[in-house]
Each structure stands twice: as C-alpha cells, then as structure tokens.
Amino acid sequence: MKLQRKNRVRALAVGALAVTGALALSACGSDDTTGAGGGGAAKPSNIKCDGKGKLLASGSSAQKNAMDVWVQNYSGACKDTEINYQPTGSGAGVTTFLQGQTAFAGSDSALKPDEVTKSKQVCKGGQAVDLPMVGGPIAVGYNVPGVDNLVLDAKTLSKIFNSEIKKWNDPAIKQLNPDAKLPDLKIQPFHRSDDSGTTDNFTKYLKAAGGWKHEPAKKWEGEGGQAASGSAGVSSQVKQTSGAISYFELSYATASKIPTAKLNTGAKEPVEATVDNASKAISEATQVGKGDDLALKLNYNTKAEGAYPITLVTYEIACNKGNKAETLPATKSFLTYIASKDGQSALKELGYAPLPTEIADKVRATVAKIS
C-alpha cells in the first residue's frame, strides 16, 4: 500500500485513535479480570488455525480485556493451540520477549533503539517490530473529599508526584481551582511498582509539558510517594485512600467510579480525560518506526483545543523474521486473527473500535510477512 507520508502518518494516528475506546469503555477493574469476553462476540468462523501446543506471551495489562476476547475466540476455533497471555506489565513483557521466553509481547511503549538491537539476537536474521493495536487516555484519578471537579496542569502534577507539593490546599492547586473547597489534607501520590509503559507515557508527559526533573522511563524515578502493582493496584489505592492521586488507564477510573482531573494545557478550557479528547491529541502523532515498524511519537505538549495529552498506544511486539519454528505458525495465525476484521469487530461489545482500513492494512501486511 503506497501512501504519501502525510497521509500515512495521519492513518497511523487515526489507527491508534480508533481504538481509544477500548480503555475508556471496557469494564475493567482489575489486571486479573477474568472472563472479560464472557458471553462476548460470536466465535469467528474463518480463523486460520496453524500450529499446535501452547503459545506464551506477556506484557501490557492495559490490553488484557482485549486479549481475553481474542484468546477466547481464537481458542474456540483452534482447539489444538493454547494462547497464554500474562498481563505482567510492559517492562516485564518486553524483557521476557527479549530473553526469548515468549512468542510476542504487549507494550504501552514502543521499543527503544537498544531493545531493537537486542531483539536481533532473538529474531535471527530480523528484528522486533511494533504493531499498534490498542490506545487510549491515561487518567489522573484522585480521592479528595468534597472536590469533584479538580483542575491540574503538568507543572503542578510534576511537583505533586515528586513530593514537592504536599497538601491539597497548596497555593498552586488553589490557583487552578479558585472555586473549589480544597481541604488541608496530605497528598498521597501512588505510582506503579512494576516497570510500566503507562509510567513511561505519564512521565514523558510530565517531562515535555511540566518540567519533570527525571528522565522518562518505565521504572518510576520520582521522589517519595507510595507504590502499588499494576493499574489495578494503584487505582485500588486511590479508591480507598483519602488524599490519594495516581495515574492509570481511564477504564479503571470508569469501573471504580474514581473522579479524574481535567488538565490545563494552555487551551481556552481545561481538558477532560475522555476518548474523544485523547483522540484529538493522538491525531498529532507522527510515525517514527522505519519500514514495517509502526511505532508512533505522541505529542504530549499539545495545546490544541479539547486535546487530552496524556495518552498511550499499546503495541504487539513480534519478530518480523527469525521466529522459532515451533511457535511461528501459531504466532502468525494469532496475530493475523487479532488484526483481521473479525479480530477487531469481536471487541465491539467491550467498547473497542476496529482499526481503520489504512492502519489495519499495514499491520496485516507486516504480519503476513512474519517468518
């Protein structure tokens, strides 16, 4: 498929954009939600089943609901293949993949150059490529009694999560919320204890827009605060801890009825964490991957009206060449299914949107070449 670069970049951004509904609308309150596809979409009839045995994969917990549906449908059609996806977090998923222990990984961050280089040791004669599948907003959830319409900005968030702002009635927060009754309450910031693509994307936003003093990374580098495992862990802590604040996929806020902060981005009005608003920010993404690699660079510093800048895109990471002979058939078969029209439309009941034709065609073309 030949596209002019402008159209190709827009197609990629829209591809990520189109699946933002996944995280906002899926009823997911735990990284270990079981039966996410229970009673889900009808089993597709045209899955091409290749390979036998167990296929191991791990990584992003943000896409677990998607994986639950995909695995349920694929396993229903392909009785000889067991897909075992563990939502261990993006960092752990990438590490395990680069050690050659899994067939593919899910990650909320694209591979870094050194990780691509390292992947060549596993992908004999090839390398790992990033295939966008799921995207959405990262919400800033909080628990402040009496405050239901909180506004924050990147600079203030950076100081909160670096333990420089310690009380909810701090002047910096008051200035952003002149009409709110802010209590004299200690701020309890929670961050991920595991290596997380969500942390990576959140700290990229803090760095780009808020002067974050640390380098963005999957591993939390901020000072102070408390840690919990996975999006389920940090959102649970916010739900039960007065004065708490944390960051997690919007679906966790929705499921647990946790209020989320609006962001003062420099636009005329503070921006709410919604699918549509995240989509506006993702539309500014540019392609940075080369060849079959579809990695995107997001604009965390957007000031466009209604654009919510804290977003993530979840990728499936797989070898384009050099897959193990015993896992290649099933890997290719499963990735072909999840990128197919059936694979995408199977997610509609959970609020996921199918990939648009442009990006889906590119993903399918890449998967078709996997060897």
Side-chain angles (χ1 to χ4, degrees):
M1 179 178 64
K2 295 182 179 180
L3 295 172
Q4 296 298 322
R5 177 166 179 78
K6 181 177 181 181
N7 290 336
R8 181 173 61 182
V9 169
R10 177 172 296 180
L12 287 166
V14 171
L17 173 162
V19 289
T20 52
L23 299 176
L25 299 179
S26 59
C28 173
S30 168
D31 287 2
D32 289 324
T33 301
T34 58
K43 181 180 67 177
S45 59
N46 60 350
I47 294 177
K48 185 176 185 295
C49 300
D50 290 322
K52 295 182 179 181
K54 181 179 290 187
L55 192 68
L56 301 179
S58 65
S60 167
S61 61
Q63 68 166 2
K64 185 179 185 297
N65 277 357
M67 275 293 166
D68 282 344
V69 173
W70 286 329
V71 169
Q72 177 184 323
N73 288 341
Y74 185 85
S75 299
C78 306
K79 303 294 186 181
D80 293 333
T81 304
E82 178 186 348
I83 310 294
N84 187 331
Y85 181 85
Q86 295 296 320
T88 55
S90 298
V94 170
T95 296
T96 304
F97 173 78
L98 293 177
Q99 292 173 344
Q101 298 179 30
T102 53
F104 67 91
S107 176
D108 303 329
S109 297
L111 292 172
K112 295 179 179 179
D114 63 315
E115 291 173 330
V116 174
T117 299
K118 189 174 181 179
S119 75
K120 295 178 181 180
Q121 300 175 16
V122 176
C123 308
K124 303 301 182 181
Q127 66 176 55
V129 291
D130 299 288
L131 304 172
M133 288 290 180
V134 180
I138 301 171
V140 178
Y142 64 93
N143 182 344
V144 183
V147 179
D148 299 319
N149 193 23
L150 184 69
V151 176
L152 296 170
D153 60 15
K155 184 177 180 180
T156 304
L157 279 170
S158 295
K159 291 183 177 181
I160 287 174
F161 279 93
N162 204 45
S163 300
E164 297 171 51
I165 293 179
K166 301 180 184 295
K167 290 288 189 74
W168 278 110
N169 61 352
D170 187 275
I173 302 177
K174 280 186 175 181
Q175 185 175 356
L176 292 165
N177 300 271
D179 299 325
K181 295 181 180 180
L182 297 166
D184 182 16
L185 178 67
K186 181 181 178 181
I187 297 176
Q188 305 268 17
F190 284 88
H191 56 265
R192 292 277 291 268
S193 59
D194 51 320
D195 285 3
S196 162
T198 308
T199 295
D200 191 29
N201 283 277
F202 182 63
T203 53
K204 282 178 180 176
Y205 162 73
L206 295 182
K207 185 73 171 183
W212 181 243
K213 296 180 178 180
H214 311 278
E215 286 304 310
K218 293 176 182 176
K219 182 178 180 180
W220 183 256
E221 299 290 346
E223 298 174 13
Q226 303 175 65
S229 179
S231 294
V234 291
S235 60
S236 177
Q237 290 297 327
V238 171
K239 181 70 174 179
Q240 66 189 23
T241 306
S242 181
I245 185 171
S246 191
Y247 55 93
F248 35 81
E249 295 77 30
L250 184 59
S251 62
Y252 292 91
T254 302
S256 298
K257 297 181 180 179
I258 298 172
T260 61
K262 295 181 180 179
L263 298 181
N264 182 337
T265 63
K268 292 180 180 179
E269 298 291 336
V271 185
E272 187 177 356
T274 68
V275 173
D276 289 342
N277 291 345
S279 297
K280 292 178 183 178
I282 293 174
S283 69
E284 299 182 25
T286 54
Q287 182 184 353
V288 293
K290 298 179 181 179
D292 289 330
D293 189 278
L294 306 182
L296 300 173
K297 181 179 181 179
L298 301 170
N299 181 7
Y300 299 99
N301 204 27
T302 179
K303 294 177 175 59
E305 295 299 323
Y308 184 83
I310 318 180
T311 59
L312 60 76
V313 173
T314 296
Y315 303 89
E316 309 310 332
I317 295 172
C319 295
N320 62 350
K321 297 179 182 178
N323 286 273
K324 295 178 181 178
E326 60 270 25
T327 60
L328 172 61
T331 299
K332 191 168 183 177
S333 172
F334 182 70
L335 293 179
T336 296
Y337 161 60
I338 69 176
S340 72
K341 291 180 181 180
D342 280 341
Q344 294 295 307
S345 63
L347 305 176
K348 288 182 178 179
E349 284 190 16
L350 292 179
Y352 289 81
L355 293 172
T357 301
E358 295 89 346
I359 185 64
D361 283 347
K362 288 188 69 67
V363 173
R364 292 165 192 161
T366 300
V367 172
K369 293 186 288 184
I370 287 178
S371 62

